[in-house]
Amino acid sequence: MNRTIAISAIPLMALSLAACGQRNGLQPPEGAALPPKPAFAATQPTADDLLTRRTEEAPDRSEELLTKSQERPDDRFDLPPPG
């Protein structure tokens, strides 16, 4: 019986943890403000602006790794382990 309860509790815990990562409706706590305006920014960024990733923060990945593969040159420091 205890095993059945434990197994049924696992999906409930996973569902509750999945809800922790929601990003909608974020606001600073009561009485707190957003970070100060950057020095050269024209306006104060909103909470959504601060959460949006720029290209520099999350660059695209190259999917064509195998088309550019080349034979590696010998590495004189690639030695077998001692012993």
Side-chain angles (χ1 to χ4, degrees), residues 2-78:
N2 288 337
R3 183 181 172 120
T4 306
I5 293 172
I7 291 175
S8 63
I10 291 173
L12 291 174
M13 289 188 295
L15 184 62
S16 64
L17 284 175
C20 292
Q22 292 181 350
R23 289 190 173 189
N24 56 353
L26 291 179
Q27 295 295 326
E30 188 83 20
L34 288 171
K37 180 178 80 98
F40 296 106
T43 60
Q44 172 74 23
T46 64
D48 290 332
D49 293 337
L50 294 172
L51 290 173
T52 303
R53 284 186 176 181
R54 297 176 300 177
T55 304
E56 296 86 18
E57 296 166 349
D60 292 333
R61 293 182 178 233
S62 173
E63 299 293 330
E64 300 195 31
L65 298 175
L66 294 178
T67 59
K68 298 179 183 176
S69 64
Q70 298 174 355
E71 193 69 32
R72 287 179 145 189
D74 286 337
D75 183 6
R76 65 183 182 152
F77 296 106
D78 186 22

